[in-house]
Amino acid sequence: MAKVGRVVAVLLLAALPGTTTVAVAEPAAPPRWTGSWETAPSGTTPALPGAAVRNVVHLSVGGTAVRVRLSNRLGTTPLRLGAVTVALRWATGPGAEPGTLRTATFGGASTVTVPPGEDMVSDPVQLSVAAGADLLVTVYTPDDDGPATFHQTALQTSYLAPAGAGRAADEAGTAYTTTISRWYYVTGVDVLGTAAGSVVAFGDSLTDGHGSTPDTNHRWPDRLAERLRRDRLGVLNAGIGGNRLLRDGVGPRALTRLDADALDRAGVRLLVVWEGVNDIKGTPVADDVTAYADAYRTLVARAHARGIRVVGVTLTPYGGFPAHTDAGEAVRRQVNAFIRTGGAFDAVADADTAVRDPADPTRIRAAYDPGDHLHFNDAGMAAVAETVRAALTAHR
C-alpha cells in the first residue's frame, strides 16, 4: 500500500507549486484548460420547448476564462440551442452578478445545433471566476427537439423561465419563476488558469451525493475540492445514482461511459473509481468476483494509456438496506479484498474501513447514516472525502 500511495504522491508533487527548488526556479507555466465542474448525463426527460433553463453549478477551481460543455449525448434528434449564456451568480437565486453575464458562442455563432449522441464545447468566454464560485449556465431551447439529456439528481436548485425567448441574456432572475432539481444539457465547465489539473470522481449515487443536504455542496467530491484547493486541483463529479460497473443501469455502465465522463475531460490527472455496489445488490445479481476484477483492470489500463493514475475506493457496507443479503455481503468483502490487495490500482482509499460500524461491519456508522443504511449524510460525506484525500497525498 505504501508503494502505490507514493506513486500518486509523486504525481501530485510534480503538479503542485513550491514542492521543490527546481519547480520554483522554472518559468511559470502558461495558462491551461482544466475541468472545474462536471455532471454526467444520467438519462433523458421530455424537452422544454421555448423555455430557458438557468443551471446553477459550483466550480472547484478558478480561472480567467471559461468554456461550457453542452450535451445531446442521449438525445435522438438534433438539438438546437437558441442561446447559451454564462454569469456569476448574485448571492442566491437566479440573478446574475451585475456586469458578469456573457454570451457563449460556438465557432463564433451564438446558436448551434448539437447532433444526437454528441457533446459540444463552447468557444472560450472571457470571464474571471474564483474557486468555489457559483456559475449560472443558461440554455434556451426554442424547439421540441425530442428527449433532453439531463442529470436527474442535482441536489442543487436551478431555475426555469417558461417563456424563455430573450431571457438567457437577463441579469435579473425575475423571469425564472420555476425551480427545478435537475441539470439540463450542461455537463461540464472548464476554466483557463494555473490549476495543476483535475481529479475525476467516478461512481454511482454515493459519489452523486445522495443523502447529503441539497444546496450545500456537501457531496464528498465537493468536500474533497475544498481540501485540494490549496493544491490547485479541480475535482469533477462523474457520479450517477443507480450506475453500475458491469451492466447498463441508470446511465451507461462504467466501461461504456469512461471516456466521455472521465478520460476526455480537460486536464485530468487522477481518476477515483468507486463503483460496484449496485451490481452486487442489483438484478440480476452479479456475484462473479472475477468479473469485477477484470472490469477494474480494464478501467485502470485505459486510464494509464492516457497518462492518468487511478485510485480505487473500497465498497462500503449497506447492511439494513432492503436489498442487503448475506450472499451479497460475501461478494462485497471479496471485491474489497481485490481492491485492497489485487495490485490493479495506483492507490487505495479504504472507505469501507473508514465508515463501517465497529460493532457491526456490515453496516455504516449511525453518525454517517441518513436513514437508508446505504448512502451518507454530510458527516459521512466529509469522512469519505478525507479518506480519499489521504490516499491521494499519502507519503507526501
Side-chain angles (χ1 to χ4, degrees):
M1 185 64 65
K3 180 179 179 182
V4 293
R6 279 193 291 272
V7 170
V8 177
V10 167
L11 175 66
L12 288 174
L13 287 169
L16 302 180
T19 53
T20 68
T21 303
V22 173
V24 173
E26 290 177 347
R32 71 185 85 183
W33 287 104
T34 301
S36 184
W37 174 86
E38 175 190 352
T39 194
S42 66
T44 60
T45 192
L48 299 170
V53 179
R54 183 152 281 183
N55 299 281
V56 179
V57 306
H58 188 69
L59 303 182
S60 58
V61 289
T64 59
V66 301
R67 61 187 185 190
V68 294
R69 178 185 296 261
L70 285 305
S71 183
N72 191 25
R73 196 189 311 167
L74 304 179
T76 57
T77 60
L79 168 67
R80 186 163 75 94
L81 304 179
V84 179
T85 63
V86 297
L88 290 172
R89 188 186 196 190
W90 178 251
T92 59
E97 185 176 323
T100 68
L101 193 139
R102 307 281 191 274
T103 297
T105 59
F106 301 81
S110 59
T111 63
V112 68
T113 297
V114 186
E118 295 187 16
D119 293 355
M120 189 76 69
V121 178
S122 75
D123 301 329
V125 178
Q126 296 304 310
L127 177 65
S128 291
V129 295
D134 282 347
L135 193 71
L136 305 177
V137 181
T138 305
V139 181
Y140 166 57
T141 51
D143 308 316
D144 185 350
D145 290 331
T149 296
F150 80 140
H151 185 87
Q152 170 71 41
T153 307
L155 297 175
Q156 171 66 61
T157 300
S158 291
Y159 302 90
L160 177 72
R167 296 304 185 182
D170 286 1
E171 283 190 345
T174 52
Y176 292 85
T177 56
T178 302
T179 58
I180 55 176
S181 58
R182 302 166 171 178
W183 285 307
Y184 281 78
Y185 301 115
V186 61
T187 59
V189 178
D190 301 334
V191 298
L192 183 65
T194 60
S198 57
V199 178
V200 176
F202 190 78
D204 50 37
S205 59
L206 301 175
T207 297
D208 207 3
H210 292 227
S212 66
T213 304
D215 292 319
T216 62
N217 301 303
H218 282 171
R219 313 164 194 84
W220 74 260
D222 297 312
R223 308 311 295 268
L224 179 66
E226 295 169 2
R227 289 160 169 78
L228 297 181
R229 194 160 291 158
R230 68 174 185 175
D231 299 327
R232 299 185 292 109
L233 283 167
V235 177
L236 307 180
N237 190 333
I240 298 176
N243 199 236
R244 298 185 185 185
L245 179 70
L246 303 176
R247 293 177 178 270
D248 293 342
V250 180
R253 67 188 180 119
L255 289 173
T256 301
R257 69 186 187 94
L258 179 65
D259 285 358
D261 289 342
L263 306 186
D264 290 345
R265 299 291 171 144
V268 177
R269 306 292 301 278
L270 293 162
L271 175 66
V272 181
V273 177
W274 190 15
E275 191 136 29
V277 71
N278 286 328
D279 298 86
I280 293 174
K281 67 180 184 61
T283 304
V285 172
D287 56 6
D288 180 1
V289 177
T290 301
Y292 292 84
D294 289 345
Y296 290 136
R297 289 192 183 100
T298 300
L299 284 167
V300 172
R302 286 170 57 183
H304 282 179
R306 304 278 287 272
I308 298 168
R309 299 288 184 173
V310 187
V311 177
V313 184
T314 51
L315 306 183
T316 45
Y318 63 106
F321 187 75
H324 183 268
T325 64
D326 290 343
E329 178 65 19
V331 173
R332 186 184 72 87
R333 295 190 182 198
Q334 292 175 70
V335 171
N336 279 349
F338 174 80
I339 294 171
R340 290 186 181 106
T341 64
F345 296 100
D346 298 297
V348 173
D350 197 348
D352 173 37
T353 298
V355 305
R356 68 192 181 202
D357 185 344
D360 184 354
T362 69
R363 291 176 175 258
I364 61 176
R365 294 174 183 265
Y368 297 158
D369 189 348
D372 66 3
H373 314 304
L374 171 66
H375 299 102
F376 296 100
N377 60 20
D378 293 352
M381 292 289 178
V384 171
E386 180 56 27
T387 301
V388 174
R389 184 210 60 80
L392 295 180
T393 57
H395 307 287
R396 273 182 60 181

